[in-house]
Amino acid sequence: MISDSGTSPILMDLGSLAPSPLHITSRALALQTQDLAAEHSTLPYRAPELFDTKTGTVIDTKTDIWSFGCTLFACLVGKSPFEMRSEETGGSLSI
């Protein structure tokens, strides 16, 4: 997103930028993908398949669409959908 001045970015997250699709062919690659996602993406915006990556799955642009949807929700409401649910139930996003 760009600020009102039209020159300054105010939201940018390219830390999880990666080639797509990524075919998970081994358990080692699955664990590496999980670790990379944990290090470079924000917890409330991370797609579910990046929490427990299975061998034989394909990580593709669907994860970006998930994150984008969570970002749009947060822009409209002021909190991620999971932060809202957490507050309702008294839970925590901490892992």
Side-chain angles (χ1 to χ4, degrees):
M1 294 172 50
I2 304 297
S3 68
D4 289 340
S5 68
T7 58
S8 303
I10 57 172
L11 175 66
M12 181 180 283
D13 183 7
L14 299 176
S16 59
L17 187 66
S20 180
L22 175 62
H23 298 273
I24 306 298
T25 56
S26 68
R27 184 66 183 147
L29 182 56
L31 293 173
Q32 179 185 14
T33 302
Q34 281 179 213
D35 290 344
L36 195 65
E39 185 178 336
H40 294 287
S41 61
T42 308
L43 183 66
Y45 305 92
R46 192 178 315 151
E49 55 267 40
L50 295 176
F51 285 100
D52 185 24
T53 307
K54 306 272 191 239
T55 302
T57 61
V58 177
I59 305 297
D60 57 14
T61 55
K62 294 173 189 167
T63 60
D64 297 326
I65 294 168
W66 174 278
S67 296
F68 183 62
C70 291
T71 301
L72 285 178
F73 185 94
C75 288
L76 292 171
V77 177
K79 297 179 184 178
S80 79
F82 305 102
E83 288 172 308
M84 292 187 66
R85 180 71 181 140
S86 176
E87 287 176 2
E88 290 172 6
T89 61
S92 170
L93 284 175
S94 300
I95 290 182

